Amino acid sequence: MIEAVAAVMLVSLIAYCVLAGADFGGGVWDLLATGPRAERQRRLADDAIAPVWEANHVWLILIVVLLFTGFPRAFAAASIGLHVPLTLMLLGIVLRGSAWAFRRYGGRARWGRIFAVASATTPIFLGSALGAITSGALRAGPDGAPELGFFRPWLAPFPLAVGAFALALFAYLAAVYLAVEAADPELRDDFRARAIVSAVVVGACALAAGLLTPPGAGHFRETLLRSPWSWPLQLATGAAAVGALWALFTRRFRTARALAVVQVALIVGGWGAAQRPYLIAPDLTLQGAAAPEPTLRLLLLALAIGSVVLFPSLWWLFRVFKRA
Amino acid sequence: MDDVLFARGQMAMSLAFHIVFAAIGVAMPLLMVLAEGRYRRTLDPDYLSLARSWAKGTAVLFAVGAVSGTVLSFELGLLFPGFMRHAGPVIGMPFSLEGFAFFTEAIFLGLYLYGWEKLGPRTHLFAGCVVAASGAASAAFVTIANAWMNAPRGFRVESGRFVDVDPIAAMGTPFAAHEIVHGTLAAYLATAAAVAAIHAVGLLRNPRSGFHRKALGLALALSVPAALVQPLTGHWAGHEIAKGQPAKLAAIEQLQRTQSRAPLTMGPIEIPWALSILAGNSPDTVVTGLEDIPPADRAPPLVRAFFQAMVLSGILLGGHAVWSAWNWIRRRPPSGRFLRATALVGPLGFLALEAGWIVTEVGRQPWVIYGVMRTADAVTPMRGLVVPFIAVSVVYLLLSAVVIEILRRQFREAQ
């Protein structure tokens, strides 16, 4: 049961990255919009985000709720140790969501700048928080405060590399999606080029994060290098990445989109699987942080009932707005 | 000030900000749907442009509400990890259900706001109805979590740990029913009264506008019944508080002596027996005074002022509602004086909502879980909380100013 709740959390994180991640990425391309078509690029990203971003955003709320209901000790520990990056992430989320709505409905272009900058910084804090959880540096001292203070666990090379990785992935996803959604061939080429460049940056960030894995993340690295499932998984991830790139080169945009989604899902899923059995390495395991059984049982029941409403609704939303 | 106060201040700031948008997120969809429903039946284009301009305002307000709500779900842990560590498994259920209700609301709001051309007329109206229903449901669920903090059930404390956790019993907290009814009604009342005020101003400036007249009619159709019923639900709440939280009841009157025939002060006026009647429907009801509550367990005295602000606002809104109902029965068109009064009482709903929320929350102090866990024991070991407090406050004040500015502009454009 513990594993089941953890699996739902991981799936929600994947959904958040694949869906809301692309909304952040849309903001990145707003920031980096250049050339004679800059305004049209911004408009395309804005229209793509508009109907879905609020629904996409709820995946994050679901993750938080699952974490504090199902694994309250981990929620408390992460909230204390990662107070600073999480607060910065929240400020980014608030500014970004509000600025987006202000620009769209208030007609003030200057909010676009805030939306774009907040979109580009928030994923870094999200990624570095996740990196800190893996790095083994997030340990509580005897008084409950983090042993290494409130900055060192996440303001370190590995978490920051994960932050950059998250940003690159989100930008990459957005570029691929926008290449599919652009009706205009010129715009499509703009985003095709952006997707190819960001795919390369994604690879570089992945390599950097891999090389910077600290000794504290020993379990994570060992699992990723030695467990029986890890090499097939890594090969599949690599194949999806190369396949997406090939599809972009050969202008098979829908294939590229599908492969990019698979790629990101495998990366996040692989991260989660290699974390197991830890929620916050090396002190809090899933087992050790879990809520009592009646809570987990009811939580799974609520999730089952909730998904009966959720998935058809989501399907409808995306069918109405994202079908070519 | 110490860190506990800054943590409480940040939480208060975040909630005071969010609650406005949350209330609007509950009530505006209902108004939108009413307007669109009228349009589908009457084919009067005024109702269509009304539904569309309300939808435009809602889009901005809902976006701010969604992100500021996210902040709160994190802040529970960022500021009070000791609370969430123990309470999470007990009250996670209503939060999870709220998550799904909010998911539904966000999905269907997307369909509603951006689906005018893509969905059929019935389907579009249906999407709006789902938004209105799921908005009310999510408000109800999240209120259950708050009710539990005031009247905790469904667990036992054994040497500092919460054992025998029973989330269903926790959701059955005796405070849930009245908090849901009183709180949700407050959301409808506050929003509809404010909307009525905006369109009353529109009518004063442009008396021939059918658009504003119809808008005012719909808003009053929601705010008037809510304002008339709200005193009764408030009385019910007073009743439950007398049973479950005597310290809060003593604090709202700063009643020193435990006594029957306890009075209630409203501004300069002291109403004899009123507190006893609020507590138990009879002047003979004995109300616990502060003398019987240990000083360490007393709520801050400032709740008294907020309680009075809430009740006085409610009385004024109630009076205005009677006037509206009278106009309606006599089929009288709104006079200039009535419109000016409507504009004046417009902000009172939100004032009452904020004040009532402060009474609920500050009145629970010094406890985060009433009688079980003190707020000071739940706070994070993080120091320097003044920094996030100031950051959050500055951002929220700025956003409030911008939202007001944007709504004003939308209003001008809608004329």
Side-chain angles (χ1 to χ4, degrees):
Chain A
M1 224 154 27
I2 293 173
E3 301 264 319
V5 176
V8 177
M9 261 168 57
L10 186 58
V11 170
S12 306
L13 183 63
I14 292 173
Y16 183 69
C17 290
V18 166
L19 298 168
D23 298 337
F24 283 106
V28 174
W29 297 123
D30 185 306
L31 188 66
L32 299 179
T34 47
R37 290 178 294 281
E39 266 323 298
R40 280 159 64 204
Q41 290 167 5
R42 291 201 172 100
R43 189 77 214 166
L44 176 69
D46 191 55
D47 286 339
I49 291 170
V52 293
W53 76 272
E54 272 160 334
N56 293 344
H57 174 74
V58 186
W59 288 104
L60 180 66
I61 301 178
L62 188 64
I63 294 166
V64 173
V65 170
L66 287 173
L67 186 62
F68 71 56
T69 311
F71 304 98
R73 291 186 56 191
F75 177 68
S79 301
I80 296 170
L82 298 171
H83 189 109
V84 180
L86 290 178
T87 301
L88 291 170
M89 180 186 89
L90 288 173
L91 287 174
I93 286 175
V94 167
L95 282 174
R96 167 178 183 279
S98 311
W100 180 85
F102 294 165
R103 177 177 69 175
R104 182 144 183 131
Y105 292 95
R108 285 274 169 87
R110 72 189 140 121
W111 286 104
R113 199 20 86 109
I114 293 181
F115 161 72
V117 171
S119 294
T121 45
T122 309
I124 298 176
F125 297 121
L126 175 70
S128 57
L130 292 178
I133 283 172
T134 302
S135 72
L138 206 64
R139 306 188 70 169
D143 59 343
E147 215 170 55
L148 294 176
F150 288 95
F151 290 91
R152 266 173 64 198
W154 64 277
L155 219 52
F158 173 70
L160 291 176
V162 177
F165 186 36
L167 179 63
L169 272 183
F170 292 173
Y172 164 64
L173 279 175
V176 176
Y177 294 176
L178 290 171
V180 177
E181 290 181 35
D184 170 336
E186 284 179 336
L187 272 183
R188 176 168 285 190
D189 278 351
D190 285 350
F191 283 106
R192 172 173 172 262
R194 284 165 168 69
I196 292 171
V197 172
S198 49
V200 176
V201 178
V202 163
C205 289
L207 188 67
L211 292 176
L212 291 171
T213 314
H219 170 83
F220 176 77
R221 183 162 40 187
E222 285 302 300
T223 317
L224 219 46
L225 292 178
R226 308 223 191 286
S227 56
W229 51 263
S230 72
W231 285 109
L233 179 98
Q234 303 212 28
L235 283 176
T237 313
V242 173
L245 206 52
W246 162 82
L248 284 168
F249 272 117
T250 55
R251 300 178 172 279
R252 292 177 170 86
F253 292 109
R254 293 182 156 268
T255 314
R257 179 168 70 176
L259 286 170
V261 168
V262 170
Q263 179 191 349
V264 174
L266 288 175
I267 290 169
V268 181
W271 169 79
Q275 274 283 105
R276 212 171 67 119
Y278 295 109
L279 256 173
I280 302 178
D283 292 327
L284 278 174
T285 59
L286 289 170
Q287 196 80 41
E293 207 169 287
T295 301
L296 295 177
R297 212 173 15 229
L298 274 169
L299 189 57
L300 285 172
L301 184 70
L303 287 169
I305 296 169
S307 22
V308 174
V309 182
L310 176 63
F311 286 111
S313 312
L314 271 179
W315 176 80
W316 193 32
L317 178 74
F318 282 94
R319 208 184 70 118
V320 168
F321 294 110
K322 296 292 170 188
R323 203 172 47 170
Chain B
M1 290 226 295
D2 61 356
D3 280 306
V4 180
L5 269 177
F6 281 119
R8 280 179 53 195
Q10 187 180 334
M11 200 72 189
M13 187 77 195
S14 307
L15 267 165
F17 181 78
H18 175 69
I19 201 169
V20 173
F21 298 91
I24 292 168
V26 170
M28 264 332 273
L30 181 60
L31 286 172
M32 267 159 28
V33 165
L34 287 176
E36 193 184 343
R38 289 303 290 253
Y39 167 68
R40 301 286 177 213
R41 235 172 309 137
T42 61
L43 292 177
D44 177 344
D46 275 347
Y47 282 116
L48 181 63
S49 50
L50 188 55
R52 280 186 176 253
S53 45
W54 278 349
K56 245 175 142 183
T58 306
V60 178
L61 298 163
F62 189 86
V64 179
V67 290
S68 60
T70 312
V71 172
L72 283 171
S73 59
F74 276 91
E75 275 177 347
L76 288 171
L78 290 174
L79 301 172
F80 302 105
F83 165 62
M84 287 315 283
R85 181 177 166 169
H86 295 288
V90 191
I91 49 158
M93 261 342 259
F95 279 114
S96 313
L97 297 171
E98 194 247 351
F100 278 109
F102 183 63
F103 230 137
T104 313
E105 192 180 359
I107 292 170
F108 282 86
L109 190 76
L111 285 162
Y112 187 88
L113 292 178
Y114 301 95
W116 288 96
E117 274 78 40
K118 297 195 180 219
L119 302 175
R122 273 164 186 246
T123 322
H124 189 258
L125 190 57
F126 167 76
C129 293
V130 176
V131 179
S134 50
S138 70
F141 286 129
V142 84
T143 308
I144 291 178
N146 179 264
W148 179 86
M149 293 164 72
N150 281 299
R153 297 289 186 276
F155 66 97
R156 271 187 318 112
V157 181
E158 211 175 81
S159 54
R161 297 186 46 206
F162 285 30
V163 295
D164 291 343
V165 169
D166 180 351
I168 298 285
M171 285 182 74
T173 165
F175 270 36
H178 72 266
E179 276 202 27
I180 289 174
V181 174
H182 194 61
T184 313
L185 215 55
Y188 289 121
L189 172 55
T191 308
V195 171
I198 289 171
H199 293 286
V201 171
L203 265 184
L204 282 168
R205 287 192 192 154
N206 184 1
R208 294 172 180 284
S209 163
F211 173 81
H212 286 306
R213 189 168 44 77
K214 287 158 198 167
L216 179 68
L218 282 180
L220 288 177
L222 183 59
S223 75
V224 168
L228 293 176
V229 176
Q230 191 68 324
L232 299 176
T233 70
H235 181 73
W236 175 20
H239 228 72
E240 295 295 329
I241 288 166
K243 275 191 276 178
Q245 282 185 324
K248 190 183 276 178
L249 198 71
I252 63 174
E253 176 58 22
Q254 289 297 300
L255 186 74
Q256 295 300 324
R257 213 162 42 77
T258 300
Q259 57 183 281
S260 60
R261 311 194 170 200
L264 187 61
T265 316
M266 273 299 129
I269 312 160
E270 191 184 277
I271 310 164
W273 304 359
L275 193 64
S276 281
I277 292 174
L278 178 68
N281 284 341
S282 147
D284 298 329
T285 309
V286 176
V287 179
T288 311
L290 292 170
E291 61 179 3
D292 286 329
I293 295 160
D297 292 353
R298 290 181 195 161
L302 71 105
V303 292
R304 183 189 194 190
F306 286 101
F307 178 76
Q308 296 191 6
M310 173 185 75
V311 175
L312 287 172
S313 305
I315 290 171
L316 289 170
L317 284 163
H320 175 265
V322 171
W323 189 0
S324 311
W326 182 246
N327 278 346
W328 183 71
I329 292 167
R330 304 291 303 269
R331 298 181 177 282
R332 247 189 245 155
S335 62
R337 208 190 304 167
F338 175 77
L339 291 176
R340 275 189 290 279
T342 308
L344 282 177
V345 299
L348 292 183
F350 278 109
L351 180 71
L353 181 72
E354 294 279 6
W357 182 249
I358 290 169
V359 171
T360 315
E361 294 300 274
V362 178
R364 193 190 58 238
Q365 303 302 328
W367 306 99
V368 61
I369 308 172
Y370 190 72
V372 177
M373 184 189 283
R374 285 175 193 274
T375 312
D377 297 333
V379 80
T380 177
M382 170 98 182
R383 298 295 85 162
L385 292 177
V386 58
V387 179
F389 168 75
I390 290 176
V392 167
S393 306
V394 167
V395 168
Y396 279 170
L397 288 175
L398 172 80
L399 294 183
S400 309
V402 178
V403 167
I404 291 169
E405 166 59 24
I406 287 178
L407 293 180
R408 284 172 66 122
R409 189 187 316 196
Q410 285 188 353
F411 175 72
R412 280 201 301 273
E413 283 166 7
Q415 298 224 314

